[in-house]
């Protein structure tokens, strides 16, 4: 599906119908009628797709209705069907649309809605992000316990009211800590981006209860909750946030930290997925 002619851009279109049709196309392309769990692999997490099980199908995301070409280096632009050792099916999403790309919230959450329409009841959302806690060194994986949405947007449309209590499942976080008891957790704060946060904005996030700053995940989590999914969130701390770190921020630094940590965090995520 060409990103310049996306049906989700039509305000009269039903995004859930488009997700249902996308799920039907996915089933046909992969030969898998139903997926049980979905994973969106952000910066630094991609190798987990090779460790969780046997990939039986890989589909370019743009061949599926509603998906866009990823704008960010580090996202592979594919949808993979993986057979887990326990016989369940995982859908690995390597095609994330970020809010800062300007395509609208419907496109941002389309992958989540498609995963739900494909049968997935658990959504694992991962990202690379900045850390506010000074003891989090680059390469530290952190569980997301809650979020603060500073995008001034929502994937919910109209008079749709969804409870976000325990949005990031305490049960699933406990499963993750059973694999690695040293895992810390924190509140993720989504900014609009694509610029990095100013030191003052980071201090604002800290003052209102944030521990992690980034440009994804929160909107996707809301859509996943609307779809009735259980959500597990992981951030890879790729750098200390602006004003916390003495060094200027750069995307190269983020990529390097992700590459350095990738073998360890991918192995961790694979063990967690096996336990879900």
């Amino acid at each position: 599906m060409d990103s310049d002619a996306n049906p989700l851009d039509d305000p009269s279109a039903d995004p859930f119908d488009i997700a249902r049709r996308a799920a039907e196309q996915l089933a046909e392309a992969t030969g898998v009628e139903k997926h049980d769990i979905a994973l969106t692999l952000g910066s630094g997490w991609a190798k987990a797709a090779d460790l969780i099980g046997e990939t039986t199908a890989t589909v370019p995301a743009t061949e599926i209705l509603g998906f866009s070409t990823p704008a960010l280096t580090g996202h592979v632009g594919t949808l993979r069907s993986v057979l887990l050792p326990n016989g369940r099916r995982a859908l690995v999403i390597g095609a994330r649309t970020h809010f800062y790309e300007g395509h609208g919230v419907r496109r941002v959450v389309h992958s989540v809605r498609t995963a739900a329409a494909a049968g997935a009841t658990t959504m694992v959302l991962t990202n690379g992000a900045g850390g506010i806690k000074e003891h989090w060194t680059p390469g530290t994986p952190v569980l997301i316990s809650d979020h603060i949405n500073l995008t001034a947007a929502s994937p919910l449309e109209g008079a749709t009211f969804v409870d976000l209590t325990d949005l990031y499942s305490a049960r699933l976080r406990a499963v993750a800590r059973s694999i690695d008891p040293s895992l810390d957790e924190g509140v993720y704060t989504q900014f609009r981006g694509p610029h990095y946060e100013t030191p003052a904005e980071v201090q604002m996030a800290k003052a209102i209860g944030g521990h992690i700053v980034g440009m994804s995940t929160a909107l996707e989590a809301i859509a996943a909750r609307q779809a009735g999914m259980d959500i597990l969130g992981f951030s890879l701390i790729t750098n200390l946030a602006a004003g916390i770190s003495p060094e200027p921020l750069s995307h190269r630094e983020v990529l390097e930290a992700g590459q350095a940590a990738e073998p360890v965090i991918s192995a961790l995520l694979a063990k967690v997925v096996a336990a879900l």
Side-chain angles (χ1 to χ4, degrees):
M1 187 71 209
D2 185 84
S3 62
D4 292 328
N6 195 301
L8 291 164
D9 296 340
D10 179 357
S12 67
D14 179 353
F16 297 97
D17 179 63
I18 294 171
R20 179 187 57 77
R21 290 158 56 198
E24 291 173 352
Q25 290 182 354
L26 181 69
E28 184 176 354
T30 62
V32 177
E33 184 177 344
K34 178 180 180 294
H35 289 83
D36 304 289
I37 181 173
L39 302 91
T40 295
L41 299 182
S43 300
W45 297 93
K47 280 199 179 349
D50 299 324
L51 303 177
I52 62 174
E54 177 192 357
T55 296
T56 60
T58 301
V59 181
T62 51
E63 293 184 3
I64 303 299
L65 188 71
F67 280 84
S68 309
T69 303
L72 185 62
T73 301
H75 291 270
V76 294
T78 61
L79 303 171
R80 292 171 63 169
S81 183
V82 179
L83 178 63
L84 303 178
N86 60 11
R88 300 174 79 207
R89 280 280 175 177
L91 175 65
V92 178
I93 300 164
R96 173 178 259 158
T97 297
H98 289 80
F99 189 56
Y100 59 69
E101 295 175 42
H103 296 310
V105 183
R106 286 181 168 190
R107 285 216 227 174
V108 171
V109 303
H110 179 61
S111 60
V112 171
R113 287 174 171 160
T114 299
T121 55
T122 300
M123 187 75 225
V124 181
L125 297 169
T126 68
N127 59 60
I132 294 177
K133 294 184 180 181
E134 293 184 19
H135 66 275
W136 286 344
T137 55
T140 301
V142 177
L143 289 165
I144 300 175
S145 60
D146 203 345
H147 79 227
I148 299 169
N149 174 15
L150 296 182
T151 67
S154 172
L156 308 182
E157 300 178 21
T160 305
F161 307 106
V162 175
D163 180 21
L164 300 183
T165 305
D166 191 29
L167 179 61
Y168 299 89
S169 168
R171 178 183 65 83
L172 296 184
R173 281 183 278 138
V175 171
R177 279 193 295 269
S178 74
I179 303 298
D180 182 356
S182 71
L183 280 169
D184 202 353
E185 64 180 37
V187 175
Y188 183 89
T189 307
Q190 181 175 353
F191 286 81
R192 292 177 66 97
H195 51 274
Y196 290 113
E197 305 77 24
T198 67
E201 288 168 340
V202 169
Q203 289 303 312
M204 177 192 72
K206 182 179 180 181
I208 62 177
H211 308 106
I212 310 161
V213 292
M215 306 173 195
S216 68
T217 303
L219 296 172
E220 295 162 321
I222 296 168
R225 167 52 57 86
Q226 182 186 22
M229 305 170 91
D230 290 327
I231 303 150
L232 178 65
F234 264 112
S235 287
L236 168 66
I237 304 302
T238 55
N239 55 275
L240 290 176
I244 307 295
S245 169
E247 303 297 329
L249 304 184
S250 73
H251 186 54
R252 180 180 58 81
E253 174 190 14
V254 170
L255 291 176
E256 288 177 352
Q259 289 167 356
E262 196 163 40
V264 174
I265 64 170
S266 295
L268 167 65
L269 184 57
K271 291 177 183 175
V272 171
V273 168
L276 293 180

